[in-house]
Amino acid sequence: MNGKITRIISNLYTVKCGDLKFGCRARGKFRKDGITPLVGDNVVIDTDNNYILEIQPRENELKRPVIANVDMAIIVTSTKKPNLDLVLLDKLISVVTYHEIIPIICFTKTDLLNELEMQDIENLKKYYEMIGIKVVYNTETTVIKKIIENHTVVLAGQTGAGKSSLINSLDENLHIETNEISEALGRGKHTTRHVELYEVAGGYIADTPGFSALELKEIGKEELKYTFIEFEHYACRFRDCMHKKENDCGVKKAVKEKLILQSRYNNYLLFLEEVGK
């Protein structure tokens, strides 16, 4: 039978085939061939012996969170407790864009903001929407359900941003463990310990272990600039311009004229240094 891996715990793979679920093991040949089945993989299974026989070609694959065949990534971004982290947000946007996954930003915990802080978030929302990235608030559950419908969506973002709480708000029958923010550390505690796909709103949504560090190893120096999608709208004198020290750089000019968000450009330079190592 054909199915989809929806959960992996240790060496046991939960495979959903229509309305049925099977607990399967992977064939020994996968290990021999250096192949690791992932959540999101479309597979062929032997239902008599509960073995995964074949992994079908992947549309894409993320390393962290470890998942395959994702259509969209909802980047759950806390505005307070833990504080807004634009470096992580832009890193995640670059990673999912590089893998040809549609990024969507979901701001959480705006009820903790004062009026001035909320205006800053509104300005950020306008900018990201202007460059073509959809932005929602976690309270807009109807909008988020529409996004998920007929898609496989992964939730990514910092620990304690509210990923598990968001899924619980989308389906009252799910009771995913959540936890409070550590006041001493100023960040969230891990509650999700494995990647799992849940059927929500006519699609699949993946809760993933939270994290606060992300590497850009897969993205090359020349490829990084294309993950900052707004850069493409500004012409440079040199075709291979890296938007750093070159003369007549349209991107640097746009930053100076406040057409490109300063934090986005600063993060680009930060990531450029990282991928250049």
Side-chain angles (χ1 to χ4, degrees), residues 194-216:
H194 60 274
V195 178
E196 181 167 356
L197 284 178
Y198 297 95
E199 289 183 89
V200 174
Y204 285 105
I205 190 165
D207 192 18
T208 63
F211 54 89
S212 56
L214 186 70
E215 295 179 345
L216 297 163

Side-chain angles (χ1 to χ4, degrees), residues 140-152:
E140 298 179 280
T141 51
T142 302
V143 176
I144 297 169
K145 284 179 181 180
K146 196 68 181 171
I147 290 169
I148 297 166
E149 189 177 358
N150 297 321
H151 293 106
T152 297

Side-chain angles (χ1 to χ4, degrees), residues 131-142:
I131 66 173
I133 298 175
K134 189 171 184 63
V135 182
V136 297
Y137 294 113
N138 64 310
T139 51
E140 298 179 280
T141 51
T142 302

Side-chain angles (χ1 to χ4, degrees), residues 3-19:
K4 181 185 286 288
I5 297 176
T6 58
R7 183 173 66 171
I8 301 172
I9 296 180
S10 189
N11 294 317
L12 186 65
Y13 301 84
T14 301
V15 180
K16 189 170 187 303
C17 305
D19 294 328

Side-chain angles (χ1 to χ4, degrees), residues 85-91 93-94 128 216 224 228 231 261-274:
D85 188 341
L86 291 179
V87 174
L88 180 60
L89 172 59
D90 285 338
K91 266 192 180 183
I93 290 171
S94 286
Y128 282 106
L216 297 163
L224 178 68
F228 283 75
F231 289 7
L261 198 63
Q262 185 69 53
S263 63
R264 285 279 287 169
Y265 182 66
N266 291 347
N267 287 338
Y268 167 73
L269 294 179
L270 185 68
F271 303 161
L272 192 62
E273 187 176 335
E274 184 179 327

Side-chain angles (χ1 to χ4, degrees), residues 70-74 101-104 147-148 151-155:
V70 177
D71 300 312
M72 300 175 183
I74 297 179
I101 296 167
I102 298 169
I104 295 158
I147 290 169
I148 297 166
H151 293 106
T152 297
V153 178
V154 63
L155 295 187

